[in-house]
Structures are given as structure tokens and as C-alpha cells.
């Protein structure tokens, strides 16, 4: 007999909807007046992880692990594909698209890919195990691209849920991968935040727009560790901050007001992407998918967001950059709960496979390259330690790699 949560309506294998965003600092203290309706609804319907770790806190390597279930050393994508020293994801590396297709699923992908060159074709990701990509190509996260294109990807996702998913004769996996709040990556809060003239991002930086949406102020506060002088930190932490300030600009000492501008902007970018995810949830309502769909809401990595007086992500190990949001909503599963169980983005693939009906033994036998742990036990029993342990009941934990060739030497 299948365990609770393994099957959906009528004993069918569940569908999967993965909602992914980019660069949200999940444990940021958000003022009470700020509302994130989509995120709040998902948290009320599922189980949220307090300590879900990415494997590398930068877009391409993190997403490669999420979609393949293997570490960056095995995908070859240990830095962003934008860099000349990184090739694209090999089509020989199985993705969750391939793995679930083997289980009889229709698999589709909408939105940000950022793992390879993408043709302008709806079949562009077939070699990676996914159908139904957007015809207009990738949206990897260029300046203000979240504002520009998240709405288009959300529209295509909603359309797919209402028109394609309802006609399928098999269960499905759909990934909806949006960019924001990643637009904060290119924010220059003030002209005084001057990057090095040869900084890689100097020509890409944007300002807070004069749109009323972005002019809203929320009374944000700085984190308790904001004024860390890094005196007690290892060399790698100082080596991280130096190139970040060279490429993106440095907020001078005594300008805490500009750090608050940055934190306020991140919230508004998050409000923007939350509104797009709300359109997807509305489509789920209209199509009646909730009864037989496991929904996972996550991000690829975090954002330093003023912690230790730093911004960005990448070659840094702090919680703000490495801990990501993960909420899992299971039909008839626990609702409105949190779990202290440690999770890793390495675990997405085995988690989906176990919810699709495979046992842990079957996953190990058929896919020995998957070293992650299924988080299904932690989702169905939020009070338990989960397969990696928790702070209260330590276990194996999660492996995080923090490197980046572009951050090793500013002179280089």
C-alpha cells in the first residue's frame, strides 16, 4: 500500500509544479505591512523548511544541481555560463525531466534556464528532457529582466496549466522559473556607489525606478550583523567583498541609508515576482489541479542583503546567501507547518521520484549517481529530523561549496 502523500486523487501518481525564483534572502526580517499573497498562501498550504541549502550560491551551478541532482563537480558548471571558462550543461547528464519521463510523466519547463545556449523554439530543452519551452528564448537574468519577462513566463505557465495539463493522459512535471527578486543584483542605490571603471558590471547597473511601485518604502531595518568589520572572518570572506565592491560599487561608511534603499528594493522586487506567482496559483484554482499536484516553491540561492555589510551572492558561505526558501504543498499533507530538518537542493530529484512512487531502494538501484536524500519524510513529518538531521538532532548536514574564479584575485 502506498504511503500517505505518495498518491493523489483516486490513487493516481501526483503531478508536480516547481515554482522557482532567484536571489531572495528567505529569513529577511520583513516589516508587517509587506504582503506576499502567493508565498503566504503556499506556506499556509504546506511545509516550509528553515534550513534548505543551495549547493553553490550562484545561479548556474545551483540550478544545475537542482535540475540534475548532482553536484557542480559532476555537471561541470561551477560558475555562471556567462563566464568564458564555463561550458554548457552536457545533454548526457540526466535531468529531473529525463528521470520523470522514465516514470511516464510529461515534463515541461517555462522561464529562466541559464544552463546552456537556448534556441528560440518551444522544443529548445528537449535534449535536456523538457518539452514546451517558451518560443522567444531564455531569460537568464539581465538587468531589469525580471520586471520585463517574468510576466511573460507566468502567462505561459498559467496557459499551460489551463490548456495543456488538462488534456494530458499522464501525470506531469512543470517547472516555472522566474527571475525576480534578482533585479536587485544590478541596483546602484546612489551615484556615490561608484564601481571600478573596469568592473564587469559597471555598464549594467540600474537605479531605483521612478515607478510608484518601486517608490514605496516599508521602514526596513538593517540586520544585527550589518556592522561586522570582518576582523574575525577568514581571508575568503574579505576576498569576496573586495571584487563585489569593485564590480558593483561600494556603499561608503556611514551611509546606512543606502543599505536600507537596497533592502527596500529587494522587498519590492519580491512583491513583483510574488504577484506573478499569484497568477500561476489562480490558474491552478481555475484548472482544479490542487487535488492531485505536489507544489514546491523554492529559490536557487539567497542574497547577502546588507548582512556583514555585503551584497550579492556567489563565493560566500553565510546563511543569507546559502539558505533558500523551500515550501512543499502535498495534497492531504501537513499544512501551515515548518520543519527544522536540513535539506539540500541536491535532494530535489530523489524527492520528486519518491513522491512519484519510487522507493528509496529503487532510486538507489536505478539512479546510483543521485547522492541526494528524499525530503518526503520531512515533508510528511515536519517534527522529525529528516534524512540529513537538524540542529536538535544533528546528522550528515548539507554540503555547500563557495568558490568563484572571478573572486579569487581582483588584479587578475
Amino acid at each position: 500500500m502506498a504511503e500517505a502523500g505518495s498518491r493523489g486523487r483516486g490513487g493516481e501518481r501526483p503531478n508536480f509544479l516547481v515554482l522557482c525564483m532567484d536571489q531572495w534572502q528567505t529569513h529577511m526580517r520583513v516589516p508587517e505591512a509587506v504582503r506576499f499573497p502567493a508565498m503566504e498562501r503556499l506556506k499556509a498550504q504546506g511545509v516550509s523548511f528553515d534550513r534548505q541549502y543551495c549547493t553553490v550560491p550562484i545561479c548556474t551551478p545551483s540550478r544545475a544541481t537542482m535540475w540534475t541532482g548532482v553536484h557542480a563537480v559532476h555537471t561541470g558548471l561551477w560558475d555562471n555560463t556567462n563566464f568564458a571558462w564555463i561550458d554548457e550543461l552536457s545533454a548526457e547528464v540526466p535531468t529531473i525531466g529525463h528521470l520523470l519521463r522514465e516514470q511516464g510523466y510529461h515534463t515541461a519547463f517555462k522561464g529562466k534556464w541559464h544552463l546552456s545556449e537556448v534556441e528560440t523554439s518551444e522544443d529548445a530543452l528537449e535534449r535536456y528532457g523538457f518539452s514546451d519551452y517558451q518560443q522567444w528564448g531564455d531569460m537568464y537574468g539581465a538587468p531589469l529582466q525580471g520586471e520585463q519577462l517574468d510576466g511573460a513566463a507566468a502567462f505561459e505557465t498559467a496557459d499551460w496549466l489551463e490548456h495543456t495539463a488538462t488534456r494530458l493522459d499522464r501525470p506531469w512535471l512543470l517547472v516555472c522559473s522566474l527571475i525576480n527578486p534578482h533585479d536587485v543584483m544590478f541596483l546602484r542605490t546612489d551615484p556615490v556607489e561608484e564601481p571600478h571603471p573596469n568592473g564587469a558590471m559597471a555598464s549594467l547597473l540600474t537605479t531605483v525606478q521612478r515607478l510608484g511601485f518601486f517608490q514605496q518604502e516599508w521602514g526596513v531595518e538593517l540586520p544585527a550583523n550589518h556592522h561586522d568589520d570582518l576582523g574575525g572572518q577568514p581571508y575568503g570572506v574579505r576576498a569576496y567583498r573586495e571584487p563585489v565592491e569593485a564590480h558593483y560599487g561600494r556603499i561608503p561608511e556611514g551611509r546606512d541609508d543606502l543599505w536600507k534603499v537596497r533592502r527596500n528594493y529587494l522587498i519590492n522586487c519580491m512583491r513583483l515576482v510574488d504577484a506573478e506567482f499569484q497568477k500561476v496559483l489562480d490558474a491552478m484554482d481555475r484548472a482544479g489541479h490542487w487535488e492531485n499536484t505536489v507544489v514546491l516553491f523554492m529559490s536557487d540561492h539567497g542574497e547577502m542583503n546588507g548582512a556583514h555589510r555585503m551584497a550579492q551572492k556567489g563565493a560566500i558561505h553565510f546563511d543569507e546567501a546559502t539558505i533558500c526558501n523551500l515550501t512543499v504543498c502535498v495534497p492531504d499533507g501537513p499544512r501551515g507547518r515548518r520543519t527544522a530538518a536540513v535539506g539540500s537542493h541536491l535532494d530535489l530529484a530523489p524527492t520528486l521520484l519518491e513522491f512519484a512512487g519510487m522507493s528509496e531502494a529503487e532510486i538507489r538501484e536505478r539512479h546510483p549517481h543521485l547522492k541526494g536524500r528524499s525530503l518526503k519524510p520531512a515533508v510528511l513529518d515536519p517534527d522529525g529530523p529528516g534524512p540529513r538531521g537538524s540542529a536538535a538532532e544533528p546528522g550528515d548536514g548539507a554540503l555547500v561549496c563557495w568558490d568563484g574564479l572571478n573572486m579569487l584575485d581582483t588584479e587578475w
Side-chain angles (χ1 to χ4, degrees), residues 23 28 181-189 193 205 208 220 222 244 248-249 251 256-269 303-306 310-313:
Q23 206 159 323
M28 178 184 183
H182 182 275
D183 284 355
V184 74
M185 173 180 173
F186 299 102
L187 177 67
R188 185 177 180 184
T189 61
E193 194 178 357
L205 300 179
V208 176
V220 296
L222 295 176
V244 166
Y248 297 93
I251 294 179
D256 287 357
D257 59 314
L258 298 184
W259 283 106
K260 291 180 180 180
V261 168
R262 182 178 182 85
R263 288 171 69 82
N264 193 80
Y265 189 78
L266 182 67
I267 286 176
N268 284 330
C269 289
E303 154 70 37
M304 287 306 293
N305 195 22
M310 297 183 196
Q312 303 301 333
K313 70 285 183 183

Side-chain angles (χ1 to χ4, degrees), residues 306-343:
H308 305 278
R309 206 165 56 80
M310 297 183 196
Q312 303 301 333
K313 70 285 183 183
I316 198 68
H317 68 298
F318 289 117
D319 284 355
E320 291 84 358
T322 58
I323 292 182
C324 306
N325 63 293
L326 173 63
T327 298
V328 184
C329 305
V330 179
D332 300 323
R335 299 170 67 89
R337 300 290 304 280
R338 301 200 69 86
T339 178
V342 171

Side-chain angles (χ1 to χ4, degrees), residues 63-243:
R63 288 165 180 270
T65 293
M66 291 166 66
W67 309 143
T68 67
V70 298
H71 278 292
V73 67
H74 299 299
T75 65
L77 303 179
W78 46 269
D79 215 334
N80 276 345
T81 57
N82 310 68
F83 293 114
W85 50 85
I86 294 296
D87 203 350
E88 66 178 20
L89 178 66
S90 168
E92 300 301 312
V93 179
T95 70
I96 57 173
H98 293 117
L99 299 176
L100 284 171
R101 277 184 174 180
E102 289 181 10
Q103 297 301 305
Y105 276 70
H106 182 95
T107 58
F109 198 106
K110 297 291 185 181
K112 176 174 175 173
W113 175 243
H114 203 189
L115 302 184
S116 66
E117 290 292 326
V118 174
E119 299 175 357
T120 52
S121 165
E122 290 162 302
D123 299 324
L125 297 187
E126 280 291 337
R127 64 185 173 126
Y128 294 112
F130 296 102
S131 301
D132 307 331
Y133 196 58
Q134 60 262 10
Q135 191 176 112
W136 38 267
D138 199 2
M139 42 190 280
Y140 66 89
L144 299 181
Q145 206 170 52
E147 181 186 346
Q148 291 173 322
L149 296 177
D150 277 350
F155 164 76
E156 293 212 9
T157 300
D159 183 88
W160 194 96
L161 289 168
E162 292 190 82
H163 300 286
T164 301
T166 53
R167 297 195 301 265
L168 292 173
D169 60 356
R170 68 193 73 177
W172 46 264
L173 160 72
L174 174 62
V175 176
C176 172
S177 176
L178 303 188
I179 292 172
N180 261 325
H182 182 275
D183 284 355
V184 74
M185 173 180 173
F186 299 102
L187 177 67
R188 185 177 180 184
T189 61
D190 186 271
V192 74
E193 194 178 357
E194 185 75 27
H196 189 283
N198 295 331
M201 304 297 172
S203 65
L204 302 177
L205 300 179
T206 61
T207 60
V208 176
Q209 296 171 79
R210 291 192 292 268
L211 294 168
F213 187 93
F214 287 100
Q215 291 296 316
Q216 294 189 67
E217 298 183 5
W218 301 102
V220 296
E221 298 177 359
L222 295 176
N225 59 19
H226 174 71
H227 292 288
D228 181 6
D229 65 3
L230 306 188
Q233 300 293 346
Y235 167 76
V237 175
R238 297 189 298 276
Y240 165 86
R241 188 165 72 179
E242 185 179 356

